[in-house]
């Protein structure tokens, strides 16, 4: 595999998103920096309680066997995989690592393309491909659409009942922290271009990481773990409040959130949970 720098800039999400597949996009982006994956040269699936450890072992083997030419040497250049893991150890959903055939990246003004090939593909080629010097062709976006969300497996009354049960269990000191969620279901129109969802998320939440991996699409303000040359950093957030209609109300809401005993307690729970996981 080989990484080559690009001479031109990749300035915004629209350009990166235009490169990926409309139905199965691979993207990781925040404020202009990001990675776009094109094609799929390797896909690994994992299940069960050992899914993370199994993925780590498999990835170490792949890295040890790979031949990498990476003159940039920045995070995101060279060999990488996009991953999406099931939250529950008992989920029937596969956890995956996907290595794209082509990766377009941008970080701190530097742009690059990484091409990945297998030994079989390299042996079949008469000569190694020329290093990429320009972006792959952009793909036109499909028609705009809207999606109506409706209750899923848990309706509003069922959710309220769970809130009451959680409060009772906390009062009985059975649990210290409960994270509740309620699913909503929407149906995409046939042939919908998922990149349009990515553009809306990135525009609405520019400080979040907007991502698409194996059908999992979203924007997250959190970075649970960033590892770089042996250093670990994390951005864990808990406690929320609605945005206001103007900057003044936004500022008032921010002050209320920062001085809320309940929300600060919630945030401390999240921080201590992360630290407890990292200490071993």
């Amino acid at each position: 595999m080989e990484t080559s720098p690009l001479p031109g800039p990749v300035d915004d999400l629209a350009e990166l998103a235009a490169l990926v597949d409309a139905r199965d996009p691979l993207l990781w982006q925040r404020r202009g920096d990001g990675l776009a994956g094109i094609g799929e040269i390797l896909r690994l699936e994992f299940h069960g309680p050992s899914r993370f450890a199994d993925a780590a072992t498999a990835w170490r083997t792949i890295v040890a066997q790979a031949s990498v030419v990476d003159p940039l040497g920045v995070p995101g250049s060279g060999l990488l995989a996009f991953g999406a893991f099931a939250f529950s150890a008992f989920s029937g959903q596969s956890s995956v690592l996907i290595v794209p055939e082509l990766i377009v990246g941008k970080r701190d003004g530097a742009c690059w393309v990484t091409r990945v090939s297998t030994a079989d593909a390299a042996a079949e080629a008469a000569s190694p491909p020329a290093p990429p010097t320009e972006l792959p062709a952009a793909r036109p976006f499909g028609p705009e659409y809207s999606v109506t969300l409706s209750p899923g497996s848990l309706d509003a009354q069922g959710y309220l009942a769970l809130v009451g049960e959680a409060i009772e269990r906390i009062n009985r000191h059975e649990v210290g922290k409960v994270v509740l969620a309620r699913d909503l279901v929407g149906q995409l129109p046939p042939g919908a271009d998922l990149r349009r969802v990515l553009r809306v998320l990135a525009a609405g939440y520019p400080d979040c990481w907007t991502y698409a991996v194996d059908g999992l699409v979203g924007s997250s303000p959190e970075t649970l773990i960033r590892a770089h040359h042996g250093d670990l950093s994390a951005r864990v957030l808990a406690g929320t409040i609605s945005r206001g209609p103007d900057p003044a109300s936004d500022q008032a809401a921010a002050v209320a959130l920062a001085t809320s005993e309940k929300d600060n307690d919630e945030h401390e729970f999240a921080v201590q949970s992360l630290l407890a996981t990292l200490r071993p």
Side-chain angles (χ1 to χ4, degrees):
M1 60 155 296
E2 185 168 356
T3 296
S4 300
L6 287 169
V10 181
D11 292 327
D12 59 23
L13 176 71
E15 289 180 309
L16 273 181
L19 304 176
V20 301
D21 187 84
R23 299 297 304 277
D24 193 17
L26 279 173
L27 191 70
W28 179 255
Q29 173 97 23
R30 180 178 182 267
R31 284 205 173 276
D33 286 354
L35 299 163
I38 302 163
E40 183 179 301
I41 201 163
L42 180 64
R43 177 188 181 91
L44 303 175
E45 298 191 2
F46 310 92
H47 300 86
S50 64
R51 61 200 182 285
F52 292 105
D54 293 343
T57 299
W59 184 245
R60 290 190 190 100
T61 301
I62 291 168
V63 171
Q65 296 174 349
S67 175
V68 180
V69 178
D70 180 15
L72 292 181
V74 298
S77 67
L79 181 62
L80 63 84
F82 290 75
F85 285 77
F87 181 81
S88 170
F90 307 102
S91 173
Q93 184 74 31
S94 296
S95 299
V96 300
L97 289 178
I98 298 172
V99 179
E101 187 174 4
L102 187 71
I103 305 160
V104 179
K106 179 175 184 287
R107 181 182 176 90
D108 299 330
C111 306
W112 63 89
V113 168
T114 300
R115 294 187 184 274
V116 184
S117 61
T118 63
D120 292 340
E124 292 175 1
S127 60
T133 57
E134 59 185 20
L135 282 172
R139 310 180 190 191
F141 283 83
E144 295 186 10
Y145 54 86
S146 61
V147 176
T148 300
L149 299 178
S150 56
S153 59
L154 188 66
D155 61 17
Q157 292 304 313
Y159 181 75
L160 290 175
L162 282 181
V163 172
E165 180 183 344
I167 292 173
E168 291 176 359
R169 295 188 64 183
I170 290 173
N171 289 335
R172 294 196 299 266
H173 303 288
E174 295 177 0
V175 294
K177 176 186 177 182
V178 178
V179 179
L180 295 176
R182 178 186 168 204
D183 60 325
L184 298 174
V185 178
Q187 183 66 46
L188 291 172
D193 190 335
L194 286 179
R195 299 173 302 169
R196 288 203 171 275
V197 179
L198 295 173
R199 296 179 78 179
V200 171
L201 288 173
Y205 307 99
D207 287 317
C208 291
W209 286 104
T210 296
Y211 57 85
V213 183
D214 199 41
L216 181 65
V217 176
S219 283
S220 174
E222 294 187 297
T223 304
L224 288 181
I225 291 295
R226 178 187 285 112
H228 183 56
H229 293 303
D231 292 331
L232 291 179
S233 62
R235 185 189 190 200
V236 182
L237 302 174
T240 57
I241 198 168
S242 298
R243 293 290 302 269
D246 52 59
S249 57
D250 272 351
Q251 178 62 27
V255 171
L257 184 62
T259 57
S260 164
E261 181 179 359
K262 172 261 183 189
D263 288 297
N264 277 284
D265 286 348
E266 185 177 342
H267 181 72
E268 184 63 18
F269 265 115
V271 172
Q272 292 305 319
S273 175
L274 176 67
L275 291 175
T277 302
L278 288 177
R279 282 191 185 99

